[in-house]
């Protein structure tokens, strides 16, 4: 009987077909539906999770290949008491989501970026986020949210120019 | 064929949304239920009895009341409940697909209810025509059509609370006022929370709509500011919200495979092998129903394509088995069209008129004859796919003559009607629950995937079935934005004025008579509406590749062709583009006074002038770099855009910045409106550079994002958005009108920078690359 370490907990997955992508194990077997299916070929990034801290496309990882890796999903970002990460809070405050379907994957990519590089340049952000499609095109707000929690909050975007009425 | 369309006739797209909206409660109609429902509901202990949620697992948010057990709860109306602890439930009636309506509509109610937004929990209303009128997400109609009803709903509940307070406190109602979820008595400086009167308020007579006092715009305390989405917290923590997040006990999983050649019928498949695969529970052929090539029947008549269903113990088992499927298709009635052939046929006929007359007014031939200059050009754009990130999915349970589905549908009421048709159940036994929609863009106005899930569930009676389309299913079985060609001719007089307009439009027909959905040309598209000499004809190809509405249907293509050709005419006239455009618009007036939803040329002029000013139109630009201008009016919204574009010798295009000025009337949630404007602009840029769907012998050639690339973050330009908010106009929808002008703003800039006119999409096929 196989076990995975997900969001700091050991999760029993029974005797699953080892070819099953991690994505579907998370969604169908473990009820962690925050990770999304978008394309199945690592093109869209909606299924991004962390494997030992690095962002990976869970649609491409057969569960049989996993042994002792530490897996983190969007459900595991916040603290156990529900306290959000600064990036999650920035996503809310900058009102990033439109439909929201891609945003778990976006957050996982951005979280990994900032963990390794707390002060990313525009080029760093481009490189880290280019694997995640947002069909609603919330890209300007994704940039702004990432910048807002980076240590050197360079203004990419001047929110004061955006015509607040009140 | 020679069909005449009168200028006053609504376009097919407009007519469709008008029809859908005709079921909407009229703005002045009472927004409350009949008397027998107006009673105090004590919901303690009857969880779910009156507190209807959007599905078992979906629709629950941090701001939603659903997660907690119902406390003492007073129901004032289908829209407003007040809890003993002071929290206020506001029901959001329409589907949420990213346009922000689950925040926007409750905000409007909250404003007139005069409550604090922080006291509000938003609850997704279930589908109920009697309670809520039309519930759908399309045509940028949710905000404008619900603006008055939502205000009345809030004001009604407020009036009932005030009446209850007056009775309970024995104070004349005229001495009481409200603010921040409190009743105030100024004379005694006392205040009480709404919850103190809620129980009595729920029993008060419902005031007539004409007795309500609505706030003036100056009195708004909530509307007009920036609000973040009510589901943001649930989204960033990965809570179940979307269609495929639905989990039901004992659920099984399904895939569905249709003919790659559109319309083919499955006659047999390797059934024994498929059924022998691990996890496979059943596999069977489903017959088609109704006319699935037509969008309207796929929206509301139960129409679906035939195919092979595989039911399995997990999504992966269903998808894995699908890959081993071998199907024999009867292709005798399948589509046989090839896009390149249709383009060639059109190009052979661009010098003639089409057989179908769309509009013919004034004396076009005379104006062409006496013109100082006649300009002609042919424009071409391809089919494109919605490519919403959430592939089609539905969970369905069929038991004992009753079908219940959980679906991300933009048009759930039509879905329920379609389920009645295909499942042969009574209307009461057709139940659809709204989940959040992971991107719609018009794709999920069709309910074909809902009907497929239901048809599979019928075979699995008693067990819930979750149907999951693959990305490949989604891209090869869309209701596409149809491709088309326009052969334009324009006449300029000696002063460079536009005196005549001619267009031969090539599109598609299913029945050989009428254009398919979004394959028609409305007689009132600018500048046809403001010119005296106009002749528009149409050729319809017998080509029924499925097409349907996509974000700003028709306009998303016409914005490119019309606004590019207008720029060509400005150049030929030797005039500045801005001055030429303002000249064609003429004096401020309704362009089409008899028609509903007419463009006002004054509002058009204002957004064009404002965007030119913001972008510094006319300023000196560096070499190989130029500004381009475009304007489009659609869905009652006015949007003008200027793009700052640099092109190098290798045809690498850098879009430095795009300015947009929009007039959507009053903006009640600035954050959502800005999101829609920005998203639509980048959507347009994505279409411009890369989007193309082709078909050979009825088979779609693109399967996934590697063949149909969407714009990614590094290529998103800097955007400057601004809204004119003329005092006298209520809000119109922001979801769609931002797309149409974008393409021509960029291609006109490319012309200004390089002298090369773009007359065919996408740019990637012409050697251009976005950098």
């Amino acid at each position: 009987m196989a076990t995975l370490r997900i969001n700091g907990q050991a999760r029993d997955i029974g005797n699953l077909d080892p070819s099953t992508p991690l994505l579907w194990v998370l969604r169908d077997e473990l009820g962690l539906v925050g990770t999304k299916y978008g394309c199945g070929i690592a093109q869209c990034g909606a299924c991004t999770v962390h494997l030992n801290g690095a962002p990976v496309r869970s649609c491409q990882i057969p569960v049989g290949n996993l042994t002792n890796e530490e897996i983190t999903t969007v459900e595991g970002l916040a603290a156990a008491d529900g306290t959000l990460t600064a990036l999650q809070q920035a996503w809310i405050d900058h009102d990033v989501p439109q439909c929201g379907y891609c945003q778990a994957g976006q957050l996982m990519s951005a979280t990994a970026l900032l963990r390794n590089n707390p002060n990313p340049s525009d080029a760093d952000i481009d490189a880290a986020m280019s694997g995640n499609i947002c069909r609603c095109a919330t890209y300007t707000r994704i940039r702004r949210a990432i910048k807002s929690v980076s240590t050197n909050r360079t203004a990419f975007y001047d929110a004061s120019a955006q015509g607040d009425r009140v | 064929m020679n069909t005449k369309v009168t200028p006053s006739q609504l376009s097919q797209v407009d007519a469709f949304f008008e029809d859908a909206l005709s079921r909407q409660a009229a703005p002045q109609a009472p927004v409350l239920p009949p008397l027998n429902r107006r009673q105090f509901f004590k919901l303690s202990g009857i969880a779910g009895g009156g507190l209807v949620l959007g599905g078992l697992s979906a629709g629950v948010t941090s701001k939603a009341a659903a997660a907690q057990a119902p406390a003492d709860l007073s129901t004032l109306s289908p829209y407003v409940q007040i809890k003993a602890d002071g929290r206020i439930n506001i029901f959001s009636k329409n589907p949420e697909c990213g346009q922000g309506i689950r925040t926007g509509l409750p905000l409007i109610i909250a404003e007139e209810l005069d409550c604090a937004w922080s006291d509000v929990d938003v609850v997704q209303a279930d589908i109920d025509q009697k309670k809520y009128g039309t519930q759908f997400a399309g045509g940028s109609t949710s905000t404008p059509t619900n603006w008055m009803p939502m205000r009345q709903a809030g004001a009604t509940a407020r009036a009932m609370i005030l009446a209850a307070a007056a009775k309970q406190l024995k104070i004349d109602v005229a001495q009481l006022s409200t603010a921040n979820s409190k009743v105030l008595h100024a004379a005694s400086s006392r205040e009480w929370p709404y919850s103190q009167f809620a129980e009595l308020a729920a029993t008060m007579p419902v005031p007539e709509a004409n007795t309500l006092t609505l706030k003036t715009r100056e009195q708004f305390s909530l509307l007009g500011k920036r609000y973040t989405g009510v589901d943001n917290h649930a989204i960033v923590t990965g809570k179940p919200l979307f269609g495929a997040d639905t989990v039901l006990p004992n659920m099984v999983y399904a895939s569905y495979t249709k003919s790659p050649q559109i319309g083919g019928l499955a006659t047999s498949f390797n059934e024994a092998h498929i059924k022998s695969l691990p996890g496979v529970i059943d596999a069977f052929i489903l017959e088609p129903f109704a006319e699935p090539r037509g969008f309207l029947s796929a929206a509301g008549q139960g129409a679906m394509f035939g195919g092979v269903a595989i039911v399995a113990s997990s999504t992966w088992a269903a998808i894995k088995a699908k890959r081993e499927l071998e199907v024999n298709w009867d292709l005798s009635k399948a589509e046989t069209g090839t896009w390149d052939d249709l383009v060639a046929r059109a190009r052979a006929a661009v010098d003639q008129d089409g057989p179908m007359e769309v509009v013919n007014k004034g004396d076009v031939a005379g104006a062409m004859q006496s013109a100082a200059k006649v300009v002609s050009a042919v424009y071409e754009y391809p089919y494109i796919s919605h490519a919403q990130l959430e592939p089609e999915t539905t969970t369905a349970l069929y038991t004992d003559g009753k079908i219940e589905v959980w679906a991300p549908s933009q048009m759930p009421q039509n879905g329920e009607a379609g389920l009645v048709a295909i499942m042969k159940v009574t209307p009461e036994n057709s139940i659809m629950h709204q989940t959040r929609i992971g991107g719609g863009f018009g794709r999920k106005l069709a309910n074909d995937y809902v009907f497929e899930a239901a048809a599979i569930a019928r075979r699995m009676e008693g067990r819930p079935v979750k149907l999951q389309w693959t990305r490949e299913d989604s891209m090869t079985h869309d209701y596409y934005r149809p491709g088309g060609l326009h052969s334009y001719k324009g006449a300029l007089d000696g002063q460079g004025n536009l005196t005549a307009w001619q267009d031969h439009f090539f599109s598609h027909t299913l029945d050989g008579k009428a254009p398919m959905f979004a394959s028609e040309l409305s007689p009132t598209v600018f500048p046809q509406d403001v010119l005296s000499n106009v002749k528009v004809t149409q050729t319809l190809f017998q080509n029924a590749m499925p097409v349907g509405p996509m974000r700003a249907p028709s306009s998303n293509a016409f914005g490119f062709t019309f606004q590019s050709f207008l720029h060509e005419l400005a150049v030929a006239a030797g005039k500045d583009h801005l001055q030429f455009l303002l000249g064609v618009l003429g004096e401020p007036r309704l362009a089409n006074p008899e028609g509903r939803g007419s463009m006002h040329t004054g509002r058009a002029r204002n957004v064009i002038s404002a965007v030119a000013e913001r972008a510094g139109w006319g300023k000196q630009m560096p070499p190989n770099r130029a500004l381009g201008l475009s304007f489009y009016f659609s869905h009652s919204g006015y949007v003008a855009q200027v793009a700052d574009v640099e092109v190098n010798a290798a045809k690498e295009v850098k879009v430095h910045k795009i300015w947009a000025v929009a007039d959507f009337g009053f903006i009640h949630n600035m954050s959502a409106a800005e999101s829609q404007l920005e998203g639509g602009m980048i959507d347009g840029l994505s279409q411009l550079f890369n989007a193309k769907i082709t078909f050979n012998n009825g088979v779609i050639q693109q399967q996934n994002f590697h063949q149909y690339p969407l714009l990614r973050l590094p290529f998103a330009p800097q955007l400057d958005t601004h809204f004119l908010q003329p005092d006298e106009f209520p809000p119109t929808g922001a979801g769609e009108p931002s797309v149409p002008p974008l393409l021509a703003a960029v291609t006109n800039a490319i012309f200004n920078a390089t002298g090369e006119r773009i007359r065919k999409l996408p740019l990637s096929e012409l050697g251009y690359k976005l950098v």
Side-chain angles (χ1 to χ4, degrees):
Chain A
M1 189 166 284
T3 341
L4 295 177
R5 271 199 76 73
I6 299 177
N7 299 330
Q9 291 183 326
R11 300 292 300 263
D12 174 17
I13 56 163
N15 295 311
L16 274 182
D17 172 358
S19 76
T20 310
L22 176 59
L23 166 68
W24 297 113
V25 178
L26 294 171
R27 290 189 57 81
D28 289 352
E29 309 300 327
L30 301 176
L32 294 169
V33 296
T35 305
K36 300 301 189 211
Y37 166 69
C39 70
I41 59 167
Q43 283 281 313
C44 76
C47 68
T48 305
V49 300
H50 291 178
L51 196 63
N52 299 328
V56 294
R57 313 300 177 215
S58 64
C59 73
Q60 295 301 303
I61 299 179
V63 72
N65 291 8
L66 296 172
T67 47
N68 293 316
E69 287 84 356
E70 193 69 43
I71 296 156
T72 308
T73 69
V74 67
E75 290 92 344
L77 289 180
D81 68 354
T83 306
L84 300 181
T85 66
L87 199 61
Q88 284 175 306
Q89 191 60 49
W91 238 249
I92 293 174
D93 295 343
H94 289 269
D95 201 18
V96 173
Q98 286 188 33
C99 88
Y101 194 79
C102 74
Q103 297 297 346
Q106 304 279 1
L107 268 168
M108 297 313 285
S109 291
T111 298
L113 165 69
L114 288 171
R115 186 179 293 148
N116 299 322
N117 179 359
N119 181 23
S121 66
D122 280 354
D124 295 335
I125 295 175
D126 284 357
M129 303 304 293
S130 64
N132 292 81
I133 292 172
C134 177
R135 172 67 179 89
C136 304
T138 60
Y139 297 126
T140 54
R141 290 186 178 196
I142 288 173
R143 275 184 187 281
R144 206 187 313 169
I146 293 172
K147 287 278 183 182
S148 76
V149 298
S150 70
T151 47
N152 170 20
R153 309 179 175 194
T154 318
F156 169 79
Y157 200 93
D158 182 5
S160 67
Q162 293 304 308
D164 265 311
R165 279 185 75 254
V166 183
Chain B
M1 140 184 50
N2 201 339
T3 317
K4 189 124 183 154
V5 183
T6 61
S8 62
Q9 195 173 318
L10 289 169
S11 80
Q12 195 182 8
V13 174
D14 291 342
F16 166 70
F17 288 119
E18 287 251 329
D19 178 57
L21 287 168
S22 66
R23 296 182 306 251
Q24 176 83 41
Q28 299 308 318
V31 292
L32 292 172
L35 268 170
N36 61 359
R37 290 194 59 85
R38 266 185 268 129
Q39 42 192 300
F40 174 54
F41 294 100
K42 204 98 169 160
L43 285 183
S44 305
I46 48 165
L51 187 63
V52 187
L53 309 178
L56 293 187
S57 61
V60 181
T61 77
S62 62
K63 271 189 89 67
Q68 58 198 91
D72 286 2
L73 191 65
S74 304
T75 300
L76 278 67
S77 80
Y79 292 102
V80 178
Q81 295 174 328
I82 298 179
K83 294 184 218 161
D85 67 3
R87 302 294 301 169
I88 297 170
N89 287 343
I90 297 186
F91 286 72
S92 180
K93 65 190 276 273
N94 277 14
E96 171 65 67
C97 55
Q99 81 280 45
I101 213 67
R102 253 171 74 85
T103 307
L105 294 185
L107 255 178
I108 301 170
I109 295 173
E111 176 68 71
E112 295 287 356
L113 179 58
D114 220 12
C115 67
W117 183 236
S118 56
D119 290 341
V120 172
D121 296 312
V122 171
V123 182
Q124 187 72 43
D126 226 331
I127 300 307
D128 191 331
Q129 171 105 33
K130 286 199 188 84
K131 271 190 188 175
Y132 297 109
T134 297
Q135 297 170 277
F136 86 123
S140 293
T141 57
S142 288
T143 297
T145 60
N146 289 295
W147 171 244
M148 222 16 139
M150 295 302 99
R151 293 181 69 191
Q152 291 174 341
T156 299
R158 176 179 170 273
M160 290 164 72
I161 291 166
L162 271 176
K167 191 172 174 186
Q168 206 166 309
L169 300 167
K170 299 188 173 55
I171 298 175
D172 182 358
V173 74
Q175 292 187 30
L176 297 173
S177 63
T178 58
N180 287 318
S181 327
K182 293 189 183 80
V183 174
L184 314 175
H185 184 233
S188 66
S189 299
R190 283 181 297 167
E191 57 179 46
W192 305 265
Y194 279 180
S195 52
Q196 199 156 327
F197 314 109
E199 189 171 342
L200 183 59
T203 69
M204 298 306 286
V206 175
E208 294 297 325
N210 60 13
T211 67
L212 299 172
T213 310
L214 299 180
K215 292 184 179 181
T216 64
R217 203 168 288 188
E218 291 68 35
Q219 290 171 323
F220 288 164
S221 61
L222 297 177
L223 300 183
K225 299 179 195 168
R226 246 169 224 284
Y227 293 88
T228 57
V230 295
D231 292 324
N232 283 2
H233 187 280
I235 288 168
V236 303
T237 53
K239 296 289 187 299
L241 293 170
F242 297 91
D245 300 345
T246 307
V247 176
L248 297 175
N250 204 26
M251 186 168 76
V252 292
Y253 302 79
S255 67
Y256 190 54
T257 302
K258 291 171 279 198
S259 171
Q261 191 175 342
I262 297 290
L265 301 176
T267 54
S268 65
F269 66 102
N270 52 342
E271 186 173 344
H273 175 66
I274 295 297
K275 286 182 169 171
S276 75
L277 294 173
V280 172
I281 296 166
D282 204 353
F284 42 84
I285 290 173
L286 289 178
E287 297 302 319
F289 187 81
E291 175 47 273
R293 292 174 301 171
F295 160 74
L296 291 174
S297 55
Q301 294 165 19
M304 58 172 268
F305 286 101
V308 179
I310 299 174
V311 180
S313 57
S314 72
T315 311
W316 177 245
I319 290 177
K320 202 175 173 188
K322 176 184 173 76
R323 291 177 181 171
E324 298 196 29
L325 198 54
E326 290 167 12
V327 187
N328 293 314
W329 301 105
D330 170 4
L331 300 172
S332 59
K333 289 180 182 151
E335 286 301 305
T336 57
T338 296
W339 173 239
D340 286 346
D341 294 349
L342 296 176
V343 171
R345 283 171 59 195
R347 291 207 173 261
V350 292
D351 294 332
Q352 308 154 17
D353 285 345
M356 179 176 149
E357 198 169 83
V358 177
V359 52
N360 191 356
K361 61 178 177 178
D363 178 12
V364 172
M368 294 285 175
Q369 204 118 52
S370 61
K373 259 186 193 170
V374 173
V375 181
S376 56
V378 177
Y379 283 81
E380 175 191 329
Y381 50 86
Y383 281 65
I384 61 179
S385 178
H386 294 83
Q388 80 289 344
L389 205 55
E390 174 194 57
E392 291 78 347
T393 179
T394 291
T395 302
L397 173 61
Y398 178 75
T399 311
D400 199 19
K402 177 181 165 188
I403 182 72
E404 192 168 8
V405 301
W406 292 260
S409 169
Q410 291 180 252
M411 206 130 82
Q413 288 170 335
N414 289 53
E416 285 191 344
L419 287 169
V420 168
I422 189 171
M423 300 297 286
K424 316 253 185 305
V425 296
T426 61
E428 318 79 81
N429 283 329
S430 170
I431 299 165
M432 195 146 165
H433 301 287
Q434 304 193 65
T435 72
R436 190 177 183 87
I437 300 167
F441 308 100
R443 173 59 182 91
K444 292 166 184 166
L445 288 161
N447 287 298
D448 50 329
Y449 52 99
V450 177
F451 307 140
E452 291 170 5
I456 298 168
R458 176 164 48 198
R459 293 285 293 262
M460 304 302 294
E461 180 161 4
R463 291 197 79 173
V465 177
K466 186 194 289 187
L467 170 65
Q468 177 67 60
W469 283 25
T470 63
R471 171 58 52 192
E472 290 79 9
D473 293 330
S474 183
M475 198 163 281
T476 57
H477 292 279
D478 198 354
Y479 287 85
Y480 303 91
R481 191 287 301 275
L485 289 91
H486 292 259
S487 177
Y488 288 121
K489 214 180 257 192
L492 297 164
D493 67 14
Q495 286 75 50
N497 298 308
L498 179 58
T499 54
W501 179 273
Q502 193 173 312
D503 182 7
H504 177 182
F505 175 40
F506 298 85
S507 67
H508 317 277
T509 182
L510 169 60
D511 61 6
K513 296 176 198 143
M516 291 181 83
F517 202 87
S519 304
E520 50 154 11
L521 176 49
S522 161
T524 59
V525 175
F526 172 73
Q528 296 168 165
D529 51 354
V530 297
L531 296 174
S532 307
N533 303 312
V534 179
K535 184 177 185 187
V536 179
T537 61
Q538 195 165 354
T539 291
L540 296 173
F541 294 124
Q542 186 84 52
N543 163 49
M545 293 301 281
V547 296
M550 174 171 179
R551 194 178 199 173
S554 298
S555 304
N556 53 33
F558 298 165
F560 164 64
T561 62
F562 280 73
Q563 291 297 314
S564 294
F565 189 60
L566 278 168
H567 185 219
E568 286 203 60
L569 290 162
V571 172
K575 288 192 172 178
D576 171 68
H577 189 190
L578 171 65
Q579 295 310 319
F580 182 81
L581 211 46
L582 295 175
V584 174
L585 281 162
E587 292 306 303
R589 68 197 187 284
L590 280 176
N592 178 26
E594 294 88 33
R596 271 167 302 175
S598 167
M599 178 178 78
H600 192 281
T601 57
R603 294 177 78 181
R605 294 176 65 99
N606 289 345
V607 292
I608 293 168
S609 300
V611 80
E613 193 183 328
R614 288 179 77 85
W617 183 258
K619 70 188 172 191
Q620 192 68 36
M621 299 293 287
N624 306 317
R625 185 166 166 182
L627 301 180
L629 172 67
S630 179
F631 158 78
Y632 205 84
F633 169 76
S634 67
H635 303 278
S636 306
Y638 302 76
V639 182
Q641 293 168 357
V642 170
D644 173 356
V645 175
E646 185 174 358
V647 189
N648 68 17
K651 288 193 166 183
E652 290 176 331
V653 180
K654 174 73 186 167
V655 179
H656 288 280
K657 187 169 181 176
I658 307 173
W659 292 261
V661 173
D663 176 357
F664 303 150
F666 174 64
I667 303 291
H668 75 285
N669 179 2
M670 184 56 75
S671 183
E674 185 191 294
S675 260
Q676 290 306 304
L677 195 51
E678 289 189 348
M681 290 159 76
I682 296 176
D683 190 349
L685 199 59
S686 189
Q687 292 172 24
L688 172 62
F689 276 87
N690 290 317
K692 183 174 185 179
I693 290 288
T694 53
F695 42 91
N696 283 345
N697 195 33
V699 179
I700 299 293
Q701 303 295 298
Q702 292 74 21
Q703 302 266 326
N704 207 318
F705 292 127
H706 63 297
Q707 294 157 323
Y708 191 84
L710 296 175
L711 190 137
R712 292 168 187 271
L713 181 138
F715 305 98
Q718 197 179 350
L719 303 175
D720 177 282
T721 56
H722 182 70
F723 298 92
L724 303 183
Q725 299 189 60
D727 283 340
E728 62 274 33
F729 296 106
T732 57
E736 295 171 270
S738 58
V739 179
L742 187 286
L743 290 85
V746 175
T747 56
N748 290 344
I750 290 175
F751 176 83
N752 290 338
T754 67
E756 184 169 347
R757 176 62 63 187
I758 309 293
R759 298 195 186 92
K760 185 181 171 182
L761 300 180
L763 290 183
S764 57
E765 296 220 329
L766 305 174
Y768 288 94
K769 191 181 169 203
L770 185 63
V771 294

